[in-house]
Amino acid sequence: MDTKWRSKGFINPYIIFSSIFFLVYVLYQIPYSNLNMELDIKLKTFLLIAIFINFILGITFKSNFALVYYKNPEFDKSRIRVITFLMILAMVIEGVYSKGFPILKQVNYKDYGVPVLHVILVTVDSFYILVLVKKLYDNRFKSNFIIFNILLATIPLLVSLSRGIIMILLLNILYLVILSTKRIFSFKKLLGILIIMIGGLYVFGIAGNYRMNTDYKRVEDIRQSSLILSIGQASTKFNDSHIPAPYFWTYSYGTSPIANLNMNIQNVLVDDSHIKVRNVTEFMVINFLPDFISKRIYPDETIRVKPNQIIAEFTAVTAFAQAYLMLGWGGLYVYLLYILIFPIVYMEIIKKVNPEFSNIALAMMATLYTLLPFSNFFAFTGLSLQLVFPIIMTLFKGGRFK
């Protein structure tokens, strides 16, 4: 194994959180949807505090995220074949169990998959693909064998129309490539990334139109976006702009979580004067453990404490809504404290137990913090559980994937 270089540390969860949340906050100020109301003044203050503190910590602790990059191009073909086969086999089992696949419109994506197995499949498969991408990068993208297995491993995610998981995987790969790059990106590379992001967001909108048209049994050109424009109450300002309609998905997904959080804060008065130990325990379990665990410990809690939504289709409520509904404003600041502490502690653990996977671990955590403005991804099993895998990998030949 050859140690190649140390990253600069600018890609860290604090910088990412403050940048993305600031971007979303600014985007919210653009009146492209009639659903977005004026933000509560206390919420404005809280968001600006969260953005400011994360930015300061990102600069202060930059060196903690300046990781050594480990190049390890070796891999075991037989092991990769077995794992890929298991991923495809699990997909087939799910297809038989569900009597079809969402991508073929044989079953709704909400009803697809074997309970428990589906969560394991998409989570393990996503991490497996990320490890293969790391191997491909270490081999300078010259291994057709790895490319073929990456394509095969992607099939279970595609057939289930797991847009969320695919988006998370793409973000993981993006951050991994950035963290694995020795030189600072040139203008051409940055321009290339920007073009890919713009194209990706357009495809994201097209995919949203396809799925929504399928759900509503509507037949129209998927580029028209008439359903999302109607449901999202696109304003005259957006309709009169020259922005392609599929990008309204990006605006809606970006701003509706804050709109939902704002609605809950303005309409729900939380009595935090009689908080007990049980309330705090529930708060910690539900907000910070993967939901496949918390739902089994408190099966009724997520139903009892359910955030309000501006409309039923926009379910994202930022990472803070559940915290507010459970413990009021105190819950918001406790949650903020947690996300300020977690990155330092987690990366120190990874650097000690499995440094070879430190870049993969940081890429996944960067993705998690990128998505916190939209939902609580500490509780989303499809991503949060993957954070444990670099630690579990230490049980297999010191964490090496050979």
Side-chain angles (χ1 to χ4, degrees):
M1 181 170 58
D2 176 35
T3 300
K4 294 181 67 179
W5 59 78
R6 183 178 294 273
S7 62
K8 303 298 182 181
F10 287 107
I11 301 298
N12 69 66
Y14 301 121
I15 294 293
I16 290 170
F17 177 93
S18 59
S19 300
I20 300 297
F21 238 121
F22 180 74
L23 178 63
V24 170
Y25 180 85
V26 171
L27 194 64
Y28 190 89
Q29 311 307 313
I30 305 174
Y32 280 163
S33 172
N34 295 323
L35 293 173
N36 296 347
M37 300 292 104
E38 179 69 22
L39 291 180
D40 182 271
I41 185 62
K42 291 177 68 176
L43 176 58
K44 280 185 178 180
T45 303
F46 171 79
L47 293 177
L48 293 175
I49 289 174
I51 291 169
F52 177 75
I53 294 178
N54 273 274
F55 179 76
I56 294 300
L57 290 181
I59 298 299
T60 304
F61 293 100
K62 179 171 65 71
S63 60
N64 292 69
F65 301 96
L67 304 176
V68 173
Y69 179 81
Y70 292 92
K71 182 180 180 180
N72 181 16
E74 300 177 6
F75 56 87
D76 186 337
K77 285 189 176 182
S78 61
R79 177 178 292 185
I80 290 177
R81 288 192 186 100
V82 170
I83 297 176
T84 301
F85 172 77
L86 292 176
M87 297 298 105
I88 298 298
L89 177 62
M91 178 197 72
V92 172
I93 292 173
E94 291 210 302
V96 173
Y97 177 87
S98 304
K99 299 179 181 179
F101 298 99
I103 198 170
L104 300 177
K105 299 183 180 181
Q106 297 168 325
V107 61
N108 190 289
Y109 73 96
K110 296 178 182 178
D111 302 319
Y112 173 75
V114 180
V116 181
L117 174 63
H118 184 68
V119 173
I120 295 174
L121 172 61
V122 298
T123 305
V124 174
D125 193 30
S126 298
F127 182 77
Y128 173 58
I129 293 171
L130 190 60
V131 173
L132 288 181
V133 170
K134 169 71 163 55
K135 288 296 177 186
L136 184 63
Y137 192 91
D138 288 349
N139 283 275
R140 299 182 180 181
F141 299 94
K142 294 180 180 180
S143 173
N144 292 330
F145 175 80
I146 295 179
I147 293 174
F148 179 68
N149 278 273
I150 289 174
L151 294 175
L152 284 179
T154 306
I155 294 175
L157 305 181
L158 294 176
V159 300
S160 63
L161 289 181
S162 301
R163 284 197 310 155
I165 293 294
I166 293 173
M167 178 189 66
I168 288 170
L169 175 61
L170 292 176
L171 281 173
N172 283 341
I173 292 173
L174 174 63
Y175 282 125
L176 179 61
V177 170
I178 293 174
L179 290 167
S180 304
T181 302
K182 183 176 182 180
R183 297 180 180 84
I184 298 175
F185 283 153
S186 64
F187 174 77
K188 287 184 178 180
K189 289 184 178 179
L190 289 174
L191 182 61
I193 291 175
L194 179 61
I195 292 173
I196 291 173
M197 289 178 63
I198 292 174
L201 291 175
Y202 184 83
V203 172
F204 178 76
I206 293 295
N209 290 339
Y210 175 82
R211 195 167 78 172
M212 184 170 278
N213 288 346
T214 300
D215 290 345
Y216 284 82
K217 295 180 172 55
R218 186 165 184 139
V219 179
E220 69 174 19
D221 190 325
I222 56 176
R223 293 172 297 177
Q224 290 184 357
S225 310
S226 60
L227 273 175
I228 185 62
L229 292 175
S230 174
I231 292 172
Q233 296 186 30
S235 66
T236 302
K237 187 169 184 177
F238 180 85
N239 289 324
D240 291 342
S241 71
H242 297 290
I243 301 173
Y247 284 112
F248 189 70
W249 276 98
T250 299
Y251 177 83
S252 297
Y253 263 63
T255 62
S256 61
I258 291 184
N260 281 331
L261 175 61
N262 186 55
M263 178 184 182
N264 282 275
I265 288 175
Q266 290 183 335
N267 296 342
V268 181
L269 179 62
V270 180
D271 182 11
D272 55 4
S273 60
H274 298 89
I275 294 176
K276 300 178 181 179
V277 174
R278 181 177 181 274
N279 301 123
V280 177
T281 302
E282 289 178 352
F283 175 89
M284 300 299 289
V285 170
I286 290 173
N287 283 283
F288 303 131
L289 290 183
D291 50 16
F292 91 99
I293 296 175
S294 63
K295 286 179 180 178
R296 284 163 174 75
I297 299 175
Y298 297 110
D300 300 323
E301 189 65 19
T302 53
I303 298 175
R304 184 180 69 82
V305 186
K306 189 172 182 180
N308 296 315
Q309 301 158 4
I310 49 177
I311 57 172
E313 285 77 7
F314 294 160
T315 58
V317 291
T318 79
F320 298 110
Q322 192 84 9
Y324 171 79
L325 293 176
M326 295 187 74
L327 295 182
W329 282 101
L332 287 180
Y333 284 96
V334 169
Y335 191 97
L336 175 60
L337 180 63
Y338 182 85
I339 66 176
L340 296 177
I341 295 173
F342 182 82
I344 296 293
V345 175
Y346 176 71
M347 288 312 303
E348 288 303 312
I349 293 174
I350 294 298
K351 285 189 284 187
K352 287 182 180 180
V353 303
N354 197 356
E356 187 178 344
F357 273 69
S358 57
N359 282 68
I360 288 179
L362 181 55
M364 293 188 297
M365 187 164 57
T367 295
L368 190 151
Y369 274 65
T370 297
L371 298 173
L372 287 180
F374 310 104
S375 189
N376 178 17
F377 278 83
F378 280 107
F380 179 64
T381 301
L383 177 55
S384 62
L385 191 61
Q386 292 186 51
L387 295 176
V388 183
F389 291 162
I391 300 173
I392 295 177
M393 291 293 289
T394 60
L395 303 176
F396 304 95
K397 294 186 178 182
R400 297 182 183 182
F401 190 84
K402 291 184 177 181

